[in-house]
Amino acid sequence: MSLALIEEAAKEVRRLAIAGSPLAVGDFRLKKLIPALEQAGGQVPVFAQVAKAVANLVNGSEADSAAHLLSLSTLLNAILYTQGQTGATGSCRELELFPTNCSSTRMTARALKPLVAALTTPGAHRFDIVKQAVERGAFSDLRLIQPAIRGLEDSYPELADLVAEKILPAYGPGLAPLLKQKLDLKGKKGDGRRLCVLHQLDPAATLELCKTALDEGSVDVKVAAIACLGQHEDCLPLVLQQANSKNKTIRAAALEALAQHDTPEILNLFNDLIKGNVFDLLARPLRAIRNPQVVNSLLSEGKRVFGLLLKGGQEQIPRYLEILDCLQQRKDGETEEFLLACFSQCDKISKLKSAKNSPLTGADLTDRLTSLLYVIGSPRALETVLAKRALLPPASFPLVLYSALRTWSPATVYEEFAPLLEHKKGAGKQKSEILERAVLAACVQTVTDSSGFDETDASSAHVLKSLQWDPRWLDAAIKADQGFIVCCLAREGHQPALNYLLKMLGTKNQPHTGLIVQALARCRYPKLTELFLELAAKKTKGARFVDLDVQFLFQSARHLPPAELPKLEAFAAILDEKFVDKFLEALEPLRASAHEPPVQ
Amino acid sequence: MEITEAYIDLQAPNAAAIKNARAVLLKRRLVGLFRSPDGTLFFGNCKGSGAENYQPSADFADPAKPVFRCTCPSHQFPCKHSLALLYAHAQGAKFLEKEAPADLSEKRSKLQQRAEKKKTQTDKPHQVNTSALKKKIQVQLSGLDLLESLVNDLVRAGLGTLNAKSARQVEEQSRQLGDAYLPGAQNGLRALTGLFYRSQISSEDELKATEREKNYSAALDQLNRLHSLCKEGRKYLNNRLQDPELKPDTHSDIAAWLGHAWQLRELKDAGLVQPNAELLQLAFNSHDDWTRRELVETGVWLNLETGAVQLTRNYRPYHAASRIREEDSCFHIVVCPELYVYPGNLNPRVRWESMQPRPATSADYARALKYAKTDLRAVIKEVKTQLKSPLGDRHPFALFRYHALGRAGDELVIEDPSGERLVLTEDAHDSEPATLPLLPLLPTVVRQDQAMLVRFHHQLDAQKLQAKPLSVMTESEIIRLAY
């Protein structure tokens, strides 16, 4: 069959369909095809049909042109549909396969689609969806590989990092060719992550690529290449070169990679840099570095700068703070000695005014020193902080308080800090509030802190949980009308506390009913369940949603006697629908303890 | 019958119902779990928002057609309470034996009576109101006149004049086709106009010139189909007018094109029913067909009795989507006492009223592999015959047993033993994900002598007939490349 004629006719028909069928009447290009079509029709009848259809169109009227054009087009397409080429030239080579650590495709569409959407389209809660999927092993499905690779470019960095660190490496080295396919050395952070994953999958095979990336890559890709090459001793010279790069990001990456190693060249480099002006780049590497020479070099520079400060050189404040920044999280003996030595002069440095063009003053220095000593946390460090507490700025008060809680006896803590409860304004009131939060943190599961001081860092949290409070705190708190502290410290047998708590509940729009119920449970108040149900009914009546207060009130149900469970469940039946879910969830701990065997 | 969590998931109308049902269970809102002495009825009480507890139940009097009931106000069946009841059973909760409550027993017996009445009614010949039907056909014929007029106007003006605004105007007019009992024709016209604007109204509604240029060939093909629909539809409807029995055509799918919604009784009367069928799902897709304003779930199945590749289609209009059960991938063998087969097409649509799932075994895969076609030339010929019909399906499926999966040049190909080849390429039909990138990740066994489900697509401009791989079947499993 002379397909060329049919294709030519189809091309013209397409042109006329776009331009408008009236133009087909008398169209010379179509007319030209008729004789050839009629001739071919002698051999193949369908060509004759096409010739007739063309003739009808070009010789017809404009009014009928649409119908004729479509008839001709339908006929042509019907022929062309039977002539589609299916093959491919050349010999058939075996398909290169890269099996991964998964080949399952048993996930249903309902489970798969939301995950694919989370990895490939913008929207809320995507990180949670993907993280939960990782935890339940959902990424063993083959069909998630491509979406996961796309996730490397995600605009939400935490999600992209999760993909790079947890998801893709689990597929094994078989994934490497897929990742390499779309790796663009001039690309952005996504390509940098891609390189890191490739390196993680097969470090030896990716070395040359990393070297090429270091030479030719964009900044983001170079940073990734440096992180990879920094894991190989024999590639350190390449990374060392980057430590002199004009680009700050690259220099920082190089220094961070070099800080993991201990060669003479690296040590000299850091020693030289310490004397320079690049502490903003040095902070992270120096925090990680272990070599004593470098640490001593840093501390020597710190001593030198501190000496200048003592001579009234407030211009050195920013530099000194940068040096202190490099000492964060360090707990070695030399650092402690250095900090103690500087701290011993805190009375002098506190008086330093701010440097030119800088808001930082001597008080900030003192606060930073106090913070570093607190983190070191040795008895000597804490005692030193407490010894100088009168000289420290107000911002350091939380550190003083927590140092005291960690070091002094309960009685000493009480005698020192209890008077603060009476302060109702000014600096004293602020200290009183910090004290109140410390008591809360010690006694309650969750606490929020707005002062910026993390009262729940690991060591403090441990201290607070095992803390004993002097019994006199409760009476002092009642006297000073400090409701939170009374709630936290109320105990069985203390009638004034019980009276105080019941009086608190009587306050209109009392927002802390959950805390009060918890305290009453500790006091073994006999009518607690009835009180709880009364409060729950009052709080939920007319409320439009479950606010924090209602939520905490419900959660306090865990402190009620397990024997009261039937009463509570009966109450659930009459609760408004919008509260039932949260209420029943809150009863779960009570159910769990109801099923536990009694303690022998 | 065994009620597993996977079975319950299949019964759920959508993923949200599964999640909510599990939450009902977790929050211990089921108070009272009972089953009838014969074990076919599960019922209980469930705390809810109302003053009284809800009473969900799951009735397996006919295991192939479970009936879910509940006193809650939800429109979904099964609701989360009924599902929670079944999850409790699947997780081993203790159900006390108890006689069914009076109201439930009454409902069960009424259902049985209705089923028996239906059976006797189906045995009776169906009486058609011929005068009403003739009136309807006249209206449909007028509708076809309107369709022809719209199509001809478009062709006279030229596709080059069609833009987002004018496409939407034509779509407005297409509503009249729906009023004329021609929903199929209306969908066909919308499929044409949908090529000329983006799916959602936005400031970038208008396509770029390069995008419109790419769509012209597809648009012309769709115009051809609509033109043929007018011709064939007119012929068909006039024949129906003259036929005293006034039966729908069961040898082609012209009735579906015009929008006829086949009743299962009609298919049974026409002998289009296969008893005791077993089906194995080869692929699945769900997508938003915005030109139809419907969510569509498509299952591709292998009939283990006949070897035919058949399709299930579940259409959920936007306005009722949440109330119609959402289909999902199925990894079981579906056993149907009666499988209804729609007329026409290489891959006909099928439906069932009741079914029971059973796990797939290696014997099922062995049986399925035997049905896979081995002569690629014959398969291609069959596909081309389908394609050349103006109203034929443009994306037919085939299950093919290939000898080799490899590369020829830059193309991925499958070959039969005689060396006949088929190129595999992507086709973004129905928003399906890309499947070609998964092929290199498959186990080495797929290189040779396995079966592949492919969907064909013909590229009009390049004059190439190619296929997209959707799944690979081995002796022990089906590796799904899409859903």
Side-chain angles (χ1 to χ4, degrees):
Chain A
M1 179 187 290
S2 175
L3 202 53
L5 271 176
I6 301 294
E7 286 173 348
E8 183 66 29
K11 199 172 123 198
E12 297 307 322
V13 162
R14 185 181 185 275
R15 173 181 61 84
L16 291 163
I18 296 169
S21 63
L23 295 174
V25 177
D27 182 75
F28 75 94
R29 284 189 193 148
L30 274 178
K31 265 189 180 163
K32 220 168 56 172
L33 295 172
I34 296 176
L37 285 165
E38 282 171 343
Q39 192 180 11
Q43 306 271 330
V44 182
V46 75
F47 277 77
Q49 288 178 35
V50 173
K52 187 161 179 264
V54 172
N56 287 343
L57 176 60
V58 297
N59 298 328
S61 66
E62 285 189 1
D64 296 329
S65 61
H68 288 149
L69 184 66
L70 287 175
S71 295
L72 174 59
S73 176
T74 304
L75 180 57
L76 288 169
N77 269 13
I79 298 168
L80 289 172
Y81 269 121
T82 65
Q83 303 301 312
Q85 298 298 309
T86 54
T89 52
S91 55
C92 183
R93 304 188 309 277
E94 202 172 61
L95 182 67
E96 203 183 355
L97 296 175
F98 308 100
T100 59
N101 290 346
C102 69
S103 61
S104 157
T105 56
R106 297 287 293 188
M107 206 186 287
T108 64
R110 272 189 203 168
L112 195 57
K113 279 192 146 196
L115 263 181
V116 172
L119 286 165
T120 55
T121 53
H125 309 299
R126 295 185 300 125
F127 182 75
D128 292 331
I129 291 170
V130 174
K131 191 157 171 272
Q132 283 164 18
V134 171
E135 283 159 8
R136 65 173 190 268
F139 279 90
S140 60
D141 193 298
L142 202 63
R143 294 166 294 176
L144 287 169
I145 291 181
Q146 287 292 346
I149 292 176
R150 278 174 68 178
L152 284 172
E153 321 277 339
D154 201 277
S155 56
Y156 187 54
E158 280 82 352
L159 180 55
D161 290 340
L162 177 65
V163 170
E165 287 159 19
K166 292 260 159 60
I167 298 174
L168 291 178
Y171 290 121
L175 196 64
L178 264 186
L179 287 171
K180 247 188 227 169
Q181 264 171 21
K182 296 239 173 111
L183 176 64
D184 176 10
L185 292 182
K186 302 282 186 198
K188 296 183 184 170
K189 282 204 167 77
D191 294 281
R193 290 189 193 99
R194 206 178 275 259
L195 185 63
C196 287
V197 177
L198 278 167
H199 181 259
Q200 199 175 342
L201 291 173
D202 192 349
T206 321
L207 263 185
E208 285 310 310
L209 183 60
C210 289
K211 288 175 186 172
T212 310
L214 193 60
D215 285 334
E216 300 169 11
S218 63
V219 170
D220 290 324
V221 171
K222 277 186 177 170
V223 164
I226 288 168
C228 298
L229 291 170
Q231 296 173 38
H232 302 269
E233 291 275 350
D234 49 343
C235 297
L236 287 180
L238 292 171
V239 178
L240 257 172
Q241 282 173 14
Q242 300 304 318
N244 296 321
S245 169
K246 285 185 190 151
N247 185 293
K248 223 170 166 184
T249 314
I250 292 173
R251 285 179 75 185
L255 291 173
E256 227 179 297
L258 291 169
Q260 311 299 324
H261 300 276
D262 225 352
T263 69
E265 296 85 1
I266 293 172
L267 299 180
N268 288 340
L269 171 70
F270 278 110
N271 285 334
D272 291 339
L273 286 172
I274 284 166
K275 292 177 186 133
N277 280 324
V278 289
F279 273 101
D280 55 332
L281 298 179
L282 284 174
R284 281 175 64 133
L286 285 177
R287 280 181 210 154
I289 216 157
R290 292 285 165 260
N291 184 281
Q293 273 186 36
V294 175
V295 174
N296 285 335
S297 201
L298 177 65
L299 294 177
S300 298
E301 178 62 12
K303 283 172 194 162
R304 183 190 73 80
V305 173
F306 190 72
L308 293 173
L309 274 174
L310 285 178
K311 290 174 187 166
Q314 60 249 40
E315 298 304 316
Q316 298 297 322
I317 292 179
R319 182 166 179 83
Y320 186 68
L321 278 170
E322 283 176 339
I323 293 172
L324 290 184
D325 204 26
C326 297
L327 296 174
Q328 266 190 42
Q329 293 150 29
R330 295 201 79 94
K331 294 189 181 184
D332 52 274
E334 291 82 10
T335 306
E336 186 178 354
E337 286 303 323
F338 167 75
L339 291 172
L340 285 169
C342 296
F343 190 75
S344 65
Q345 310 280 345
C346 65
D347 50 337
K348 288 185 188 148
I349 56 171
S350 307
K351 292 172 186 158
L352 287 172
K353 294 197 173 26
S354 61
K356 208 172 173 185
N357 299 327
S358 167
L360 302 166
T361 64
D364 296 308
L365 275 183
T366 312
D367 185 49
R368 186 70 65 86
L369 279 169
T370 314
S371 171
L372 287 169
L373 282 170
Y374 179 81
V375 167
I376 287 175
S378 66
R380 192 173 158 214
L382 296 179
E383 284 291 353
T384 308
V385 166
L386 288 168
K388 298 268 188 183
R389 63 187 182 277
L391 302 169
L392 297 178
S396 301
F397 177 73
L399 296 162
V400 168
L401 174 61
Y402 276 81
S403 299
L405 289 172
R406 286 165 78 172
T407 316
W408 290 348
S409 69
T412 314
V413 168
Y414 173 78
E415 278 147 25
E416 174 74 17
F417 297 109
L420 290 173
L421 293 180
E422 298 291 342
H423 291 215
K424 299 299 178 196
K425 51 186 174 186
K429 185 182 176 209
Q430 285 179 0
K431 288 183 180 177
S432 170
E433 284 168 358
I434 292 168
L435 179 59
E436 184 184 63
R437 281 199 290 276
V439 175
L440 258 175
C443 301
V444 175
Q445 290 272 333
T446 57
V447 65
T448 55
D449 173 41
S450 58
S451 71
F453 176 65
D454 182 4
E455 290 158 342
T456 57
D457 71 87
S459 57
S460 303
H462 173 70
V463 163
L464 290 174
K465 292 301 171 220
S466 55
L467 207 54
Q468 296 293 320
W469 295 92
D470 189 290
R472 291 173 286 175
W473 276 107
L474 182 53
D475 296 292
I478 292 171
K479 187 169 167 234
D481 196 19
Q482 292 277 3
F484 272 129
I485 297 179
V486 175
C487 284
C488 292
L489 299 179
R491 54 184 183 267
E492 192 181 0
H494 197 285
Q495 192 60 41
L498 186 62
N499 296 341
Y500 183 90
L501 290 170
L502 291 171
K503 189 175 152 206
M504 271 179 84
L505 279 177
T507 317
K508 201 178 173 187
N509 297 329
Q510 171 56 253
H512 304 296
T513 47
L515 205 55
I516 299 169
V517 165
Q518 193 180 332
L520 287 169
R522 220 180 306 117
C523 295
R524 299 204 191 275
Y525 179 58
K527 296 179 194 166
L528 185 57
T529 308
E530 289 76 13
L531 182 64
F532 171 82
L533 291 174
E534 195 187 307
L535 285 168
K538 211 193 299 186
K539 287 279 174 189
T540 54
K541 186 181 174 186
R544 286 186 296 143
F545 51 83
V546 180
D547 61 26
L548 270 177
D549 185 35
V550 169
Q551 198 171 318
F552 287 144
L553 174 61
F554 285 174
Q555 283 172 3
S556 68
R558 64 173 53 214
H559 301 287
L560 300 175
E564 299 289 83
L565 206 47
K567 226 186 258 183
L568 295 166
E569 285 176 342
F571 177 76
I574 58 169
L575 256 184
D576 189 276
E577 174 68 14
K578 49 182 173 293
F579 301 110
V580 173
D581 285 355
K582 286 285 177 201
F583 188 79
L584 289 172
E585 266 175 43
L587 294 186
E588 280 303 312
L590 207 56
R591 286 199 187 95
S593 56
H595 289 127
E596 273 167 14
V599 175
Q600 298 292 329
Chain B
M1 63 166 292
E2 203 192 346
I3 299 172
T4 60
E5 293 203 20
Y7 170 80
I8 302 165
D9 288 349
L10 269 179
Q11 301 304 314
N14 49 53
I18 294 174
K19 188 174 158 230
N20 292 338
R22 290 187 187 275
V24 165
L25 200 59
L26 195 71
K27 290 165 192 171
R28 304 204 188 201
R29 297 177 76 169
L30 284 170
V31 288
L33 301 170
F34 308 103
R35 62 175 174 81
S36 58
D38 64 0
T40 60
L41 177 71
F42 300 94
F43 56 102
N45 293 308
C46 185
K47 285 198 184 82
S49 56
E52 291 181 11
N53 289 342
Y54 299 132
Q55 281 141 24
S57 63
D59 187 351
F60 289 91
D62 179 359
K65 263 171 90 174
V67 176
F68 300 95
R69 302 180 182 92
C70 188
T71 53
C72 73
S74 170
H75 293 294
Q76 283 187 355
F77 285 96
C79 64
K80 63 183 179 184
H81 310 109
S82 307
L83 289 171
L85 196 68
L86 289 182
Y87 282 124
H89 173 78
Q91 288 174 17
K94 197 162 181 301
F95 278 63
L96 297 174
E97 199 174 289
K98 190 177 167 186
E99 288 297 334
D103 59 337
L104 254 184
S105 298
E106 197 187 323
K107 284 179 185 165
R108 289 182 101 192
S109 74
K110 271 190 184 161
L111 185 67
Q112 204 176 347
Q113 282 166 16
R114 269 205 300 272
E116 276 159 18
K117 190 177 173 191
K118 191 178 168 186
K119 199 168 173 298
T120 51
Q121 276 183 341
T122 50
D123 292 338
K124 268 193 239 169
H126 179 67
Q127 295 292 330
V128 174
N129 184 338
T130 49
S131 70
L133 194 51
K134 277 185 181 173
K135 276 188 190 162
K136 180 179 169 183
I137 291 174
Q138 292 288 8
V139 172
Q140 286 181 311
L141 283 166
S142 307
L144 284 180
D145 290 340
L146 170 65
L147 176 63
E148 190 172 48
S149 160
L150 288 172
V151 164
N152 286 345
D153 286 346
L154 276 172
V155 175
R156 269 193 288 271
L159 287 172
T161 61
L162 204 51
N163 56 21
K165 188 176 170 190
S166 52
R168 288 186 191 278
Q169 281 168 354
V170 170
E171 221 176 76
E172 264 303 305
Q173 290 180 289
S174 77
R175 280 189 191 193
Q176 298 171 67
L177 294 174
D179 298 337
Y181 309 106
L182 294 174
Q186 185 183 26
N187 287 332
L189 189 56
R190 279 185 180 158
L192 169 67
T193 54
L195 291 169
F196 289 91
Y197 64 90
R198 299 187 199 285
S199 60
Q200 288 161 22
I201 297 171
S202 69
S203 59
E204 294 181 11
D205 193 30
E206 197 66 64
L207 298 182
K208 293 177 195 158
T210 45
E211 288 171 310
R212 296 215 325 252
E213 178 63 35
K214 278 186 196 162
N215 287 343
Y216 284 144
S217 296
L220 181 57
D221 190 51
Q222 190 64 15
L223 279 169
N224 293 341
R225 283 153 81 77
L226 292 171
H227 172 73
S228 299
L229 176 59
C230 291
K231 271 175 60 178
E232 300 299 318
R234 206 172 269 127
K235 213 188 295 180
Y236 164 73
L237 288 172
N238 281 324
N239 286 343
R240 279 202 82 191
L241 268 181
Q242 285 163 22
D243 182 351
E245 294 294 299
L246 293 169
K247 283 198 183 73
D249 181 16
T250 55
H251 298 290
S252 72
D253 58 352
I254 185 65
W257 260 102
L258 293 172
H260 177 70
W262 283 99
Q263 303 296 311
L264 296 184
R265 177 191 43 74
E266 286 176 316
L267 294 171
K268 195 165 185 178
D269 287 344
L272 295 171
V273 63
Q274 180 193 335
N276 301 321
E278 289 195 332
L279 298 159
L280 171 66
Q281 194 180 73
L282 301 174
F284 177 84
N285 187 31
S286 79
H287 77 284
D288 179 356
D289 189 336
W290 53 272
T291 61
R292 291 176 68 113
R293 316 286 193 265
E294 288 175 332
L295 303 171
V296 185
E297 288 108 41
T298 305
V300 185
W301 303 80
L302 179 68
N303 189 314
L304 290 174
E305 312 302 321
T306 64
V309 174
Q310 296 167 327
L311 309 179
T312 48
R313 288 206 198 271
N314 188 37
Y315 295 102
R316 296 188 294 133
Y318 286 167
H319 62 270
S322 62
R323 291 192 287 280
I324 301 172
R325 188 165 157 269
E326 182 188 351
E327 298 284 344
D328 199 3
S329 322
C330 177
F331 297 100
H332 287 76
I333 301 286
V334 159
V335 182
C336 311
E338 284 183 326
L339 181 71
Y340 299 88
V341 184
Y342 286 54
N345 272 320
L346 192 57
N347 311 117
R349 186 180 169 196
V350 294
R351 239 171 90 194
W352 53 77
E353 254 189 320
S354 63
M355 69 88 173
Q356 271 187 300
R358 66 163 177 81
T361 63
S362 47
D364 295 313
Y365 294 120
R367 213 164 132 205
L369 280 171
K370 285 203 180 101
Y371 282 125
K373 304 215 161 96
T374 52
D375 182 353
L376 189 51
R377 194 170 293 194
V379 168
I380 290 169
K381 190 175 173 194
E382 207 175 24
V383 164
K384 285 180 174 177
T385 306
Q386 162 92 6
L387 290 174
K388 79 176 183 189
S389 161
L391 296 179
D393 184 8
R394 287 289 181 254
H395 299 275
F397 296 87
L399 181 66
F400 176 68
R401 186 97 194 234
Y402 59 87
H403 174 62
L405 165 66
R407 280 194 194 275
D410 290 332
E411 316 257 36
L412 273 164
V413 296
I414 46 175
E415 261 188 10
D416 71 2
S418 70
E420 187 73 23
R421 276 182 203 164
L422 178 64
V423 173
L424 302 174
T425 53
E426 289 297 347
D427 165 29
H429 182 64
D430 289 351
S431 314
E432 235 167 34
T435 57
L436 290 189
L438 268 70
L439 289 176
L441 301 173
L442 299 182
T444 46
V445 71
V446 305
R447 274 199 187 117
Q448 284 185 327
D449 298 319
Q450 307 299 336
M452 183 181 280
L453 175 74
V454 296
R455 191 186 55 234
F456 286 87
H457 52 272
H458 183 106
Q459 295 173 25
L460 285 163
D461 292 330
Q463 273 305 296
K464 287 183 178 171
L465 177 64
Q466 297 174 335
K468 173 172 174 158
L470 294 176
S471 57
V472 176
M473 193 195 304
T474 67
E475 285 172 359
S476 54
E477 60 173 336
I478 294 175
I479 304 172
R480 294 183 184 223
L481 304 176
Y483 290 118

